[in-house]
Amino acid sequence: MSEPCDFGLIGLAVMGENLALNVESRGYRVAVYNRTTSKVDELINGRAKGKQFVGCHSLEELVSELKAPRIVMMMVKAGPAVDDLIDTLIPLLAPGDIIVDGGNTYFADTERRTNHVEEQGLLYCGTGVSGGEEGALLGPSMMPGGSPDAWPHVKPIFQAISAKVGPNNDIPCCEWVGPRGAGHYVKMVHNGIEYGDMQLICEAYFLMKEALGLTNDELYDVFEQWYRGDLNSYLIEITRDIFSVKDGDSDEFLVDKIMDRAGAKGTGKWMSQLALDLGVPSTLVTEAVYARCLSAMKDSRVLASKTLRGPVARYEGDRKQFIEQIRQALFASKICSYAQGFVQLQEAAREHDWPLNFGDCAMLWRGGCIIRAAFLDSIKEAFDVNPNLENLLLAPYFTDVVHRAQDSWRHVVATAAQLGIPTPAFSAALAYYDGYRRERLPANLLQAQRDYFGAHTFQRLDQEGWFHAEWIKLRKHPKD
């Protein structure tokens, strides 16, 4: 009989295959299975040839190859297929064995599945995995949650394969997040922030292209400069690189050949919907989702462009100065986006009784994932100083940044409006900042309106309790 395997993986699409190769490269013996068994054979005879792999043609075979406690990671499409796979696995496993879901799963499904699997005497680990196919192979960001007793068993493998950061490159971007669906919720917020980041970068690009007429070579230089400063991040880096790629069929730039219609897989929408349920204003991700929806209306936009008019989108001022103002607006808006994400995490932790460590969450995203950025270190420091920090905007470092960027930020948003260039995320970020910084908002009038037409009652500034006014009796009638 062959030596037992340390780890089992089901699902050999790109992410699953690369994760399996990553685990094996850290010295672990890996058993793999795919419903289409030809994928198993292709891997074993191809990229995994000569390595510590066992290819399996059935779930029974996969389970039999694993040492106890068995760790079986599912890398399959989220949805009913995951439930079906769990129900097939449960009779094959023994008490204490661990099922891991590494897909983009809705957190409430993970909450339900954790309870179901634990009732069968097994352990469940809903794990967010970010970094795309390259991250899966070389080191992703991992956000594990679920059954706490599973963590000691999966920790050595997960922390071995995850991305590493720190002065000595030895801090793994993987730490236990919390019980039940906490890991997948944190991954969802990561993806929502990713939506906001990408939309903000696209708006900065569009302003420079439309208002200033920058060429792709000039845009490359701008993003290269930004990458070397406060905006250092993976998304800024790849955006820079995109502006250097030529189309293989012509001498033109590939980015200019791509249809301006964006798709989405749903995690941004989940975050926005759950923000509404929690009553927190995650406006950046919501605007980013709507921007993708508007982009999808390509045929309608083409038709509208022939009828609807607007100003000429050309900026007549100092180009270099305006580029710097866009940079500052981008950085300030990005801070608001992360601030909103952490506020939603804080509220979700209270709602679901998850003991989240918000500084640790920031460090999980410091490497390997799509939103990795240098300024996440500053977020970690802010929560280290004050674990109960209400909003990142109130941390001295971030307060100082937005104060210094504020004039530029306002100029960019106002100029975009004057030139007819849509900047929904920049505008939403500034509106959030202005709303959050004001002691008094016009909701007093809103409450009066609700009480007038629906007797919904209101609170007063000068007295405790809830009140209702006889508005119709008290109103001043207009003179005849």
Side-chain angles (χ1 to χ4, degrees):
M1 182 176 175
S2 62
E3 181 183 350
C5 294
D6 306 290
F7 189 80
L9 189 137
I10 301 168
L12 293 176
V14 174
M15 284 290 288
E17 181 174 305
N18 281 355
L19 268 177
L21 289 163
N22 188 347
V23 173
E24 192 276 341
S25 73
R26 312 296 170 167
Y28 295 100
R29 188 170 174 82
V30 181
V32 294
Y33 167 77
N34 193 79
R35 187 174 60 176
T36 304
T37 54
S38 60
K39 287 283 294 179
V40 176
D41 299 334
E42 288 172 15
L43 175 62
I44 298 300
N45 297 319
R47 298 172 76 190
K49 191 171 184 178
K51 297 180 179 179
Q52 296 187 88
F53 274 91
V54 174
C56 304
H57 285 191
S58 70
L59 291 174
E60 290 83 356
E61 184 183 0
L62 178 92
V63 171
S64 70
E65 291 288 349
L66 298 173
K67 66 183 182 183
R70 301 174 185 89
I71 302 173
V72 181
M73 186 169 191
M74 305 177 297
M75 292 297 295
V76 299
K77 186 175 181 180
V82 178
D83 290 303
D84 293 341
L85 184 53
I86 290 170
D87 288 339
T88 304
L89 280 170
I90 285 173
L92 305 177
L93 298 172
D97 288 346
I98 302 159
I99 300 175
V100 180
D101 176 12
N104 259 341
T105 294
Y106 187 59
F107 89 99
D109 289 336
T110 304
E111 296 260 308
R112 170 177 56 79
R113 289 167 184 155
T114 302
N115 292 331
H116 173 60
V117 170
E118 288 180 346
E119 287 170 358
Q120 312 306 313
L122 306 174
L123 303 175
Y124 196 73
C125 190
T127 302
V129 180
S130 178
E133 58 184 276
E134 181 181 350
L137 180 64
L138 303 178
S141 166
M142 302 187 72
M143 294 149 261
S147 307
D149 289 344
W151 178 232
H153 300 288
V154 301
K155 177 179 179 179
I157 297 176
F158 283 6
Q159 292 196 335
I161 68 174
S162 67
K164 308 296 188 298
V165 295
N168 301 314
N169 207 38
D170 59 354
I171 301 173
C173 294
C174 173
E175 190 52 74
W176 183 251
V177 175
R180 304 180 308 281
H184 276 135
Y185 199 102
V186 170
K187 173 59 163 58
M188 177 198 68
V189 170
H190 162 282
N191 283 24
I193 291 173
E194 176 187 312
Y195 270 58
D197 262 7
M198 294 172 72
Q199 178 62 27
L200 289 167
I201 292 170
C202 288
E203 291 177 15
Y205 148 71
F206 207 51
L207 277 166
M208 291 185 286
K209 181 179 176 64
E210 295 291 308
L212 299 178
L214 263 60
T215 65
N216 288 320
D217 287 332
E218 290 172 320
L219 286 164
Y220 178 95
D221 291 339
V222 168
F223 278 90
E224 165 67 12
Q225 184 179 6
W226 288 0
Y227 178 67
R228 299 191 179 281
D230 292 337
L231 285 170
N232 176 282
S233 68
Y234 173 71
L235 284 170
I236 293 291
E237 179 185 18
I238 67 169
T239 303
R240 175 202 66 191
D241 294 346
I242 285 167
F243 292 120
S244 70
V245 176
K246 294 291 185 72
D247 178 24
D249 298 327
S250 68
D251 194 40
E252 298 179 63
F253 287 93
L254 180 57
V255 67
D256 297 325
K257 296 288 188 180
I258 297 175
M259 175 73 74
D260 56 318
R261 178 189 287 142
K265 289 189 175 179
T267 46
K269 181 178 70 174
W270 290 347
M271 179 177 169
S272 182
Q273 290 171 329
L274 289 167
L276 288 170
D277 290 341
L278 291 170
V280 294
S282 294
T283 55
L284 267 292
V285 61
T286 304
E287 287 296 347
V289 171
Y290 282 145
R292 294 192 188 195
C293 294
L294 189 58
S295 80
M297 299 167 59
K298 176 64 174 178
D299 294 341
S300 182
R301 288 189 291 112
V302 169
L303 182 64
S305 70
K306 303 180 188 307
T307 303
L308 303 179
R309 298 175 184 168
V312 177
R314 284 295 174 186
Y315 184 70
E316 302 298 335
D318 186 298
R319 282 163 48 104
K320 185 176 180 181
Q321 183 182 45
F322 193 50
I323 290 170
E324 170 57 18
Q325 290 170 328
I326 293 171
R327 184 196 69 80
Q328 292 188 43
L330 176 57
F331 194 29
S333 298
K334 182 184 177 81
I335 290 169
C336 285
S337 180
Y338 281 74
Q340 290 180 0
F342 277 95
V343 166
Q344 183 161 344
L345 279 179
Q346 289 168 322
E347 193 59 36
R350 283 189 284 268
E351 177 80 7
H352 301 289
D353 194 25
W354 295 331
L356 299 186
N357 183 309
F358 304 107
D360 283 352
C361 288
M363 291 312 292
L364 294 179
W365 302 337
R366 184 63 182 85
C369 68
I370 306 304
I371 65 170
R372 59 185 183 266
F375 95 134
L376 284 160
D377 288 333
S378 299
I379 295 179
K380 164 70 170 165
E381 291 168 8
F383 281 111
D384 283 348
V385 171
N386 181 6
N388 298 314
L389 180 65
E390 185 172 316
N391 191 301
L392 283 175
L393 289 168
L394 302 179
Y397 169 77
F398 296 110
T399 301
D400 182 58
V401 169
V402 294
H403 281 175
R404 286 187 283 110
Q406 193 171 151
D407 288 345
S408 295
W409 195 7
R410 296 185 187 285
H411 176 71
V412 168
V413 170
T415 300
Q418 289 174 335
L419 298 179
I421 299 174
T423 54
F426 276 160
S427 302
L430 183 57
Y432 172 77
Y433 173 76
D434 279 336
Y436 186 61
R437 72 179 179 82
R438 285 188 173 271
E439 180 182 348
R440 192 157 171 81
L441 291 171
N444 56 318
L445 177 58
L446 190 150
Q447 292 296 75
Q449 291 168 334
R450 294 179 74 242
D451 190 55
Y452 191 121
F453 66 68
H456 292 291
T457 71
F458 54 86
Q459 292 175 288
R460 297 178 60 106
L461 293 171
D462 56 352
Q463 299 178 44
E464 294 292 327
W466 291 87
F467 300 86
H468 167 63
E470 298 292 338
W471 296 95
I472 295 177
K473 294 181 179 178
L474 296 171
R475 68 183 177 179
K476 179 180 179 181
H477 290 275
K479 294 179 180 179
D480 294 331

